Amino acid sequence: GGPASLCRFRGTLVGAVLGDCIGGEFEGTEPEEIPLDRVLRYLDGLEDETRGDCILQYSDDTAMTRCVADSLLTRAGFDEQDMARSFAKEYQQAPFRGYGAGVVQVLKKLAAPQLSDVYQPARAQFGGRGSFGNGGAMRAAPFALAFRDRADVKRYSRLGAMLTHSCSLGYNGAILQALAVHLSLQGALALPQDFLKTLISEMEEVEKDKSARSDARALNESEFPFCARLHRVKELMERNNVSIEEVISELGNGIAALHSVPTAIFCVLHCLEPREGLPDKYGGVERTVAYSLQLGGDTDTIACMAGAIAGAHYGIESISQAWQRCCEGAEEADVLAQRLHNMHHRA
Ligand code: 8NA
Ligand code: MG
Ligand code: MG
């Protein structure tokens, strides 16, 4: 499809659910424990016709992405009160979705009816430093679908993340993920070097901010930490052979946004072409998800973010029906994506 076509929108949210549900199986494992043949055997099992539908449950990544999409649709734009309430309600109804250990405190406080500043609970996290986890980034894709204008995508993905993540290393990860989906929707992955160049120049602007600089210093990170990681992505892409170990040591596979959003972007870029060891029958989204599982660590979230960016590039038509059937929430994601497509083109 062309830029911002319906099949790209559907691919984005369905790709994200696939990554979350399929990646959940390997969450927290060491890469040594998941050699490629084990990953492929597991993925082959998803094609088994005798398996039931929706056997793979989604986690917090999808639960919160649905809240974001739903709030943007019902409020016809960003409404922090409504989004905060939606997160709190979802957590109350289904607390078992595997939320981060810290964010649960925020979600409980957001449920208080008398709360006037919905950003306050997030600011109180981790002794007032705020969370740098990837929980803002994992749910950022709908911002790229709802808003056409790049400045809006940046502004609202930041505010949406700040409802739970007040550390700039948390919310800037959400901006980066939303920008990656935004560019991918436009077809920008046709020129991968330019795609990365645009992301770097956008993030230079974002990370110039005073609080971004002081948070990076306080956490002993280099200045412009996301830009630095994106430069590493570029270097890795230019190498002929990149091992899983190198990707992990250069980019990370953890729950911090800084150690997972650039990793997800690398997975997408690395899998733009067929890769040795991955079946020829795989479409691009399948290739990207399969590759990202091998990294271990925060597999559901890395695969979810990579799945969204890849889904925006390849579109829904490229995603295996069998995989979709296995994943709880895939159909609902598809419906939300179609509604967001309407909103995007009406705006
Ligand atoms: P969060 O805000 O609780 O952050 C996640 C974790 O990062 C925290 O629990 C801390 O360990 C650490 N952290 C974040 N900020 C700081 C800080 N300033 N100082 C010290 N430590 C800090 O939750 P989140 O929404 O960011 O988490 C998202 C992740 O949690 C996703 O990977 C998601 O899939 C989920 N997750 C769940 C499990 C599980 O099995 N329940 C495992 C891993 C991840
Ligand atoms: Mg999760
Ligand atoms: Mg996770």
Side-chain angles (χ1 to χ4, degrees):
S5 63
L6 179 60
C7 77
R8 290 181 185 266
F9 274 63
R10 297 172 63 200
T12 305
L13 292 193
V14 173
V17 171
L18 246 59
D20 180 19
C21 290
I22 295 172
E25 180 77 7
F26 301 103
E27 189 174 24
T29 42
E30 296 295 329
E32 301 79 81
E33 299 169 56
I34 29 177
L36 184 57
D37 62 318
R38 188 180 153 202
V39 169
L40 294 181
R41 235 178 305 126
Y42 168 71
L43 293 174
D44 263 349
L46 303 182
E47 317 259 349
D48 182 350
E49 294 286 330
T50 63
R51 289 193 82 154
D53 289 355
C54 302
I55 41 164
L56 302 176
Q57 279 201 357
Y58 65 76
S59 76
D60 56 335
D61 306 55
T62 299
M64 294 192 92
T65 301
R66 284 165 70 142
C67 292
V68 171
D70 196 59
S71 177
L72 292 172
L73 284 163
T74 48
R75 304 302 302 156
F78 180 68
D79 175 340
E80 66 269 20
Q81 301 281 341
D82 183 75
M83 200 173 283
R85 261 196 306 274
S86 167
F87 290 156
K89 196 167 148 221
E90 170 61 35
Y91 175 69
Q92 279 181 326
Q93 283 171 353
F96 52 80
R97 295 275 183 198
Y99 286 87
V103 76
V104 164
Q105 300 310 313
V106 180
L107 298 173
K108 286 178 179 162
K109 290 180 187 173
L110 289 177
Q114 71 275 20
L115 183 75
S116 57
D117 179 1
V118 289
Y119 293 105
Q120 196 281 325
R123 283 199 298 270
Q125 291 294 93
F126 300 100
R129 283 165 299 154
S131 174
F132 52 64
N134 55 21
M138 73 188 183
R139 61 176 193 250
F143 291 101
L145 303 188
F147 300 105
R148 240 188 329 213
D149 187 33
R150 195 178 297 174
D152 287 339
V153 172
K154 290 165 75 174
R155 178 180 309 124
Y156 297 122
S157 60
R158 177 174 185 271
L159 291 171
M162 285 174 82
L163 291 168
T164 49
H165 291 68
S166 75
C167 176
S168 63
L169 278 101
Y171 61 74
N172 284 346
I175 298 178
L176 176 56
Q177 170 65 11
L179 281 171
V181 173
H182 167 83
L183 293 175
S184 181
L185 275 179
Q186 305 303 317
L189 278 167
L191 298 168
Q193 295 295 345
D194 290 353
F195 169 85
L196 209 45
K197 219 160 95 186
T198 308
L199 281 182
I200 291 172
S201 75
E202 288 289 348
M203 290 310 288
E204 278 170 354
E205 204 56 46
V206 167
E207 294 195 296
K208 256 198 231 160
D209 181 75
K210 225 175 75 204
S211 43
R213 288 171 173 245
S214 68
D215 287 348
R217 221 174 298 122
L219 288 163
N220 264 321
E221 289 293 341
S222 62
E223 282 208 308
F224 295 83
F226 282 100
C227 291
R229 298 259 159 172
L230 290 170
H231 282 288
R232 290 191 201 171
V233 170
K234 189 168 185 296
E235 284 162 24
L236 287 174
M237 276 170 66
E238 284 159 3
R239 289 193 210 162
N240 280 332
N241 265 307
V242 188
S243 69
I244 296 292
E245 293 70 30
E246 284 173 297
V247 177
I248 297 169
S249 74
E250 295 284 316
L251 302 176
N253 65 357
I255 47 163
L258 187 63
H259 303 154
S260 51
V261 183
T263 310
I265 291 170
F266 174 77
C267 290
V268 177
L269 291 166
H270 185 72
C271 294
L272 283 172
E273 283 163 29
R275 285 287 160 190
E276 207 184 320
L278 295 177
D280 292 336
K281 65 174 180 192
Y282 278 5
V285 177
E286 288 134 58
R287 205 157 58 223
T288 305
V289 169
Y291 179 79
S292 61
L293 300 183
Q294 295 172 73
L295 300 176
D298 195 359
T299 45
D300 65 331
T301 304
I302 294 173
C304 170
M305 297 189 293
I309 304 165
H313 177 63
Y314 302 102
I316 187 78
E317 313 300 343
S318 79
I319 304 180
S320 150
Q321 293 283 347
W323 288 25
Q324 289 185 55
R325 269 197 304 277
C326 288
C327 297
E328 179 196 15
E331 276 181 33
E332 290 83 350
D334 196 358
V335 172
L336 286 169
Q338 297 183 41
R339 294 175 57 201
L340 284 164
H341 183 259
N342 278 337
M343 173 173 168
H344 183 100
H345 288 281
R346 241 192 350 248

